[in-house]
Amino acid sequence: MIENLPPCPKCSCEYTYEMNALVVCPECGHEWVPGESGAQDGESAGERVVKDAVGNVLTDGDTVTVVKALKVKGSPSGIKAGTKVRNIRLIDGVDGHDIDCRIDGFGAMQLKSSVVKKA
């Protein structure tokens, strides 16, 4: 039995418990082997990987293209598919909005990585 169980790598919950050889998170249900390095799917512990709509890894400063038309609240016209967005910043946003950017004609916005592709 492990004395100090590690927090959940997905949701950071401290109330994890041991079940056979696994450690389980009661909040999100994530299960993992405690001896493994925190890396899963090529991610290192503490490093978040953001991928675009087709699976390319995005980084700060990339240029992306919007892949589908987006409605913008308070604007008569939305953002058209094919609009290029330069110099993005990756953030921990709300509701999956993980890209902070400035779009010509609209100003500062937050986008979801699932609606853009790397240019």
Side-chain angles (χ1 to χ4, degrees):
M1 177 148 190
I2 302 172
E3 294 223 359
N4 295 328
L5 292 171
C8 177
K10 290 220 178 205
C11 70
S12 302
C13 173
E14 297 176 357
Y15 304 109
T16 56
Y17 61 92
E18 204 170 14
M19 184 173 67
N20 299 330
L22 299 174
V23 177
V24 181
C25 175
E27 289 186 7
C28 69
H30 180 63
E31 299 177 348
W32 73 99
V33 177
E36 288 182 347
S37 63
Q40 291 181 346
D41 300 333
E43 298 178 22
S44 62
E47 183 180 330
R48 202 175 110 233
V49 175
V50 177
K51 295 184 179 183
D52 67 2
V54 293
N56 298 323
V57 177
L58 297 173
T59 57
D60 285 343
D62 280 346
T63 298
V64 295
T65 304
V66 177
V67 294
K68 69 177 193 176
L70 303 173
K71 293 180 182 177
V72 177
K73 191 183 256 186
S75 173
S77 64
I79 298 171
K80 295 179 182 176
T83 302
K84 279 200 172 190
V85 180
R86 291 176 172 75
N87 198 19
I88 65 168
R89 286 183 301 149
L90 301 179
I91 59 169
D92 290 327
V94 180
D95 292 333
H97 293 84
D98 44 14
I99 296 174
D100 193 25
C101 62
R102 182 171 304 278
I103 300 176
D104 294 335
F106 287 97
M109 303 201 97
Q110 290 185 354
L111 298 173
K112 293 183 179 183
S113 59
S114 59
V115 298
V116 299
K117 73 175 182 177
K118 197 170 186 174

